[in-house]
Amino acid sequence: MEKSNTTKKIAKNFSWLLLGNIVGGTINFILVVYVARTLGAVVFGLLQFALAFIAYLYMVVDSGLSIFGTRGIAKDPSQVGDYSLNIILMRLTLALFVFFAALLVVWLIPIAFNVRLLFIAVFSLVFYHALRPDWIFQGLEKMQYIAFARILYPVISFLLIVFLVKQAGDLVRVPLIQSACGLIVATLFLIILFKKYVHVKLTDVNVSSWPKYFIQAFPLGASAFLTIIYGNMDMIMLGFMDQPAVVGYYNAAYRIFYILGGIFGLWVATAIPTMSKRIGEDKDGSKMFLDKFTHITLLGIIPITVLIYLASPLVIGFVFGPEYTSAVFGLQVLIWAIIPIAIGSIYGQLILISAGFFKRFFQAVVLGVGANIILNFILIPRFSFIGAAIATILAELIVTIMVMKYSQKVLPIKIGHHFIKPLIIVLAALIGFYVVYFPTAFMSEYPRIFIACGFAFLLCLLSVQLIDGKFLSGFIKELIVKRER
């Protein structure tokens, strides 16, 4: 029954996170469109330029403390008060330091007064980020609150911005409204957290533990920081080494790749608390859990990767338009990086991070970043943005190989046998796709691809049922079975 409850909890938590991201992301997209149209291209570009710096400030404010705290809470829920209070105060202290350091830099740079105000307003967002309790709810496996927060924040922001931002002169109001709404939402969910799940006292504040927390979390923060650089490096190097249009093509392909990677990231996030609890106490149980998690992951991620490869012309054309046709080949290459990312996440996040081997994980990321930079220098001049995509795949393979090597000393698992069934399913899908695609040459390209991909998708579902129906039905039963009272 415990195994059934774990499966139900992961599926439920993933559903909540996915719902929050889809609804919140949709509202944010509509908000961006409204702001872009209201402010105009020049002023909107200035806003985006200022916002480009905030991700790096977030990294400093977090410094890996959120992942560290999530793991600590999941591993020992009795320490939730200690982790929650001290890490929130640490993040607020870092936010104050970052905010005033950024103010000093903005003050020293010779820029127009209104631009200086814009940067100050944007930098105030670090306080919202510092107070966000998402990581605490994740450690407690209460993902519904994360979903509600991710929906409530953009809803309130959207309503106030639509009401208060009417022209280009209202530029500074946008980040100020977002910052104020963020603080309100974060405070609201902190109140819910401390009233319902976490009971803290002033004596729980332990400043002497802060250096220890920071040192332990630092490799995670550094890994996250390098991952951002990793993701941006291709664009930056393409910008210096090729034409602006090429950067646009690669960015279009990368956007689709990023969406799938983000959904998979939510899936992995739901399993981190479970693994953090088990890996130090029950290695056999951890292996059984990872075996099932890996099987389900590869059963989904490999066929989805192939379907996106086949549907790339349709996806790029529908989302970005015919002007971005050149991005199709870029997506068809880049999408294959999802598979090593999936395997690397299982070994890296669910084994190394869950077991507390943060430095090993950091070392693997450093090797991946270094390889990515070197490979970009070699491949971009020869193959343009296709070279950047190949560099991403090879770098991800290097990271995956390293985390697999390191994790074998922590929790040795084998996943080779999990590829057999997904590959059979993929073979059936490919046959189905081309059986429909070639005889329909009389049709225009997009309807032709749509029908062929639809048939391939149906064959995937049928193949899963025929090849792995017993496992799938057992998994579904675990999701719907009632808990014993």
Side-chain angles (χ1 to χ4, degrees):
M1 184 56 65
E2 180 187 353
K3 186 168 68 173
S4 172
N5 288 343
T6 299
T7 304
K8 285 181 67 176
K9 187 177 290 185
I10 287 177
K12 177 184 174 183
N13 287 337
F14 175 68
S15 300
W16 276 118
L17 289 179
L18 188 61
L19 175 67
N21 275 39
I22 290 174
V23 176
T26 301
I27 297 170
N28 270 324
F29 177 77
I30 297 171
L31 175 60
V32 169
V33 172
Y34 174 81
V35 171
R37 289 175 177 269
T38 302
L39 298 181
V42 175
V43 178
F44 179 70
L46 182 60
L47 174 63
Q48 293 304 306
F49 175 70
L51 288 171
F53 293 92
I54 199 68
Y56 297 99
L57 301 187
Y58 286 167
M59 287 295 101
V60 178
V61 169
D62 187 71
S63 295
L65 290 166
S66 59
I67 303 176
F68 173 76
T70 296
R71 175 188 172 272
I73 292 168
K75 187 177 180 182
D76 186 4
S78 66
Q79 297 296 313
V80 63
D82 180 66
Y83 280 110
S84 300
L85 193 57
N86 285 288
I87 289 178
I88 286 173
L89 290 175
M90 287 178 69
R91 282 158 59 105
L92 273 175
T93 303
L94 288 168
L96 284 168
F97 171 78
V98 165
F99 181 71
F100 286 110
L103 284 189
L104 179 61
V105 172
V106 169
W107 186 262
L108 294 174
I109 295 175
I111 53 177
F113 179 72
N114 62 329
V115 177
R116 185 172 285 130
L117 284 179
L118 172 63
F119 274 95
I120 293 171
V122 166
F123 293 158
S124 69
L125 285 163
V126 297
F127 296 107
Y128 157 56
H129 185 75
L131 284 173
R132 287 176 63 179
D134 298 28
W135 57 276
I136 307 174
F137 285 119
Q138 185 181 347
L140 295 170
E141 296 185 88
K142 304 294 181 183
M143 308 297 186
Q144 63 269 32
Y145 294 103
I146 301 175
F148 293 148
R150 290 180 181 177
I151 294 171
L152 185 60
Y153 171 59
V155 166
I156 298 174
S157 298
F158 177 77
L159 293 174
L160 287 176
I161 287 174
V162 168
F163 182 70
L164 296 173
V165 177
K166 300 294 185 182
Q167 57 186 355
D170 297 330
L171 168 62
V172 177
R173 291 183 182 182
V174 175
L176 284 178
I177 290 170
Q178 290 178 318
S179 182
C181 291
L183 288 172
I184 291 169
V185 171
T187 302
L188 172 64
F189 282 91
L190 280 173
I191 292 170
I192 293 171
L193 176 73
F194 289 128
K195 278 197 170 185
K196 197 169 183 180
Y197 298 107
V198 182
H199 302 289
V200 295
K201 307 180 295 292
L202 287 176
T203 53
D204 290 329
V205 178
N206 184 9
V207 179
S208 62
S209 68
W210 292 10
K212 181 183 70 174
Y213 283 179
F214 186 83
I215 291 169
Q216 289 179 315
F218 181 77
L220 294 173
S223 299
F225 186 77
L226 287 175
T227 301
I228 289 181
I229 296 175
Y230 191 171
N232 291 337
M233 189 57 62
D234 296 353
M235 309 288 181
I236 294 170
M237 295 183 73
L238 273 172
F240 281 112
M241 302 168 73
D242 216 317
Q243 300 298 316
V246 170
V247 180
Y249 298 145
Y250 187 73
N251 186 266
Y254 201 91
R255 291 280 179 176
I256 306 300
F257 166 78
Y258 185 78
I259 290 171
L260 181 58
I263 294 172
F264 176 72
L266 298 178
W267 171 244
V268 173
T270 61
I272 290 177
T274 299
M275 278 302 296
S276 297
K277 289 177 185 175
R278 293 186 174 190
I279 198 165
E281 301 172 358
D282 182 12
K283 289 202 171 184
D284 290 336
S286 297
K287 286 182 181 180
M288 290 178 61
F289 171 78
L290 272 183
D291 188 70
K292 177 180 287 187
F293 186 87
T294 302
H295 188 84
I296 295 171
T297 298
L298 295 183
L299 201 62
I301 207 75
I302 293 177
I304 288 172
T305 299
V306 172
L307 287 172
I308 291 178
Y309 170 85
L310 296 173
S312 291
L314 183 63
V315 173
I316 292 293
F318 177 76
V319 177
F320 295 99
E323 184 182 353
Y324 287 85
T325 301
S326 298
V328 170
F329 191 33
L331 177 58
Q332 288 178 328
V333 175
L334 187 62
I335 197 64
W336 295 103
I338 286 291
I339 296 174
I341 286 174
I343 299 168
S345 296
I346 291 170
Y347 281 93
Q349 295 189 50
L350 298 187
I351 296 180
L352 292 180
I353 290 179
S354 294
F357 288 82
F358 306 147
K359 291 181 181 179
R360 289 294 191 185
F361 182 75
F362 174 66
Q363 289 169 5
V365 173
V366 169
L367 285 173
V369 172
N372 186 258
I373 293 171
I374 294 170
L375 289 168
N376 276 322
F377 270 117
I378 296 171
L379 297 175
I380 287 176
R382 298 182 182 183
F383 305 108
S384 188
F385 67 100
I386 303 301
I390 295 170
T392 297
I393 295 173
L394 294 176
E396 291 294 349
L397 281 171
I398 290 171
V399 173
T400 299
I401 291 169
M402 294 309 300
V403 295
M404 289 177 72
K405 176 184 175 182
Y406 292 147
S407 65
Q408 290 303 308
K409 299 177 182 178
V410 183
L411 190 73
I413 61 168
K414 297 179 180 179
I415 66 169
H417 61 286
H418 290 299
F419 282 90
I420 297 173
K421 291 178 180 178
L423 289 177
I424 295 173
I425 293 167
V426 161
L427 180 61
L430 286 171
I431 292 172
F433 178 86
Y434 288 110
V435 162
V436 173
Y437 184 76
F438 287 129
T440 55
F442 61 91
M443 300 177 67
S444 58
E445 187 69 3
Y446 288 173
R448 188 182 178 193
I449 294 173
F450 179 78
I451 294 170
C453 283
F455 187 65
F457 177 70
L458 290 175
L459 280 180
C460 279
L461 295 179
L462 180 62
S463 300
V464 169
Q465 181 59 35
L466 292 174
I467 295 170
D468 220 6
K470 186 176 180 181
F471 173 84
L472 193 63
S473 61
F475 177 72
I476 292 171
K477 285 179 182 177
E478 288 182 18
L479 294 183
I480 62 177
V481 69
K482 293 182 179 179
R483 296 185 180 184
E484 294 180 350
R485 294 187 181 274

